């Protein structure tokens, strides 16, 4: 099993910054892609940012230039630096990881962390 534990969410004013972290632990051979998704009330979960284990990244158009994702492979941890936050960034943010376990590649999810941006 693989556990993903997120931290760093909270309440911030528009224009402010937050940094999310997500640490993977458990039994696995390796972690491939790691990603951040978010889900706002009444909306579908959407991809925010993805990073490969070699460091290649891609972002949703809505966050390009404001958010940056990075990872520390030695710590099996992924980060999401969120700057210039807007009220429309308010959502529950979920960490996702593709881990290689005994049965093959599997996707795992964190429990989610609330980000609230006030106007």
């Amino acid at each position: 099993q693989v556990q993903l534990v997120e931290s760093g969410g909270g309440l911030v004013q528009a224009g402010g910054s937050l940094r999310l972290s997500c640490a993977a632990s458990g039994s696995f051979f390796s972690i491939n892609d790691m990603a951040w998704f978010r889900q706002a009330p009444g909306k579908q979960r959407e991809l925010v940012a993805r990073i490969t284990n070699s460091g290649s990244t891609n972002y949703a158009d809505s966050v390009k230039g404001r958010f940056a994702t990075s990872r520390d492979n030695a710590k099996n941890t992924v980060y999401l630096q969120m700057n210039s936050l807007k009220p429309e960034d308010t959502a529950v943010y979920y960490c996702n990881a593709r881990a290689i376990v005994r049965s093959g590649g599997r996707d795992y999810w964190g429990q989610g962390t609330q980000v609230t941006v006030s106007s």
Side-chain angles (χ1 to χ4, degrees):
Q1 278 286 19
V2 178
Q3 295 81 42
L4 300 177
V5 178
E6 299 140 345
S7 60
L11 173 64
V12 65
Q13 287 189 331
S17 298
L18 283 174
R19 189 189 194 212
L20 306 183
S21 299
C22 171
S25 62
S27 180
F28 52 88
F29 295 113
S30 63
I31 302 285
N32 289 348
D33 289 6
M34 301 186 82
W36 292 95
F37 287 75
R38 67 185 180 187
Q39 188 166 19
K43 294 188 176 181
Q44 289 189 329
R45 190 173 297 191
E46 63 175 356
L47 175 67
V48 175
R50 184 184 301 278
I51 183 167
T52 68
N53 56 10
S54 61
S56 297
T57 58
N58 65 282
Y59 298 93
D61 287 344
S62 59
V63 306
K64 282 181 181 176
R66 299 188 298 121
F67 290 12
T69 189
S70 59
R71 63 191 285 174
D72 184 334
N73 290 333
K75 296 181 179 179
N76 294 311
T77 299
V78 64
Y79 306 95
L80 184 67
Q81 178 66 43
M82 304 185 292
N83 299 324
S84 302
L85 282 160
K86 303 176 181 180
E88 51 263 43
D89 295 318
T90 295
V92 178
Y93 283 69
Y94 296 91
C95 175
N96 167 268
R98 168 59 68 121
I100 307 302
V101 297
R102 182 175 296 181
S103 58
R106 290 189 60 184
D107 279 334
Y108 293 89
W109 293 89
Q111 80 283 0
T113 185
Q114 177 71 45
V115 171
T116 302
V117 184
S118 63
S119 57

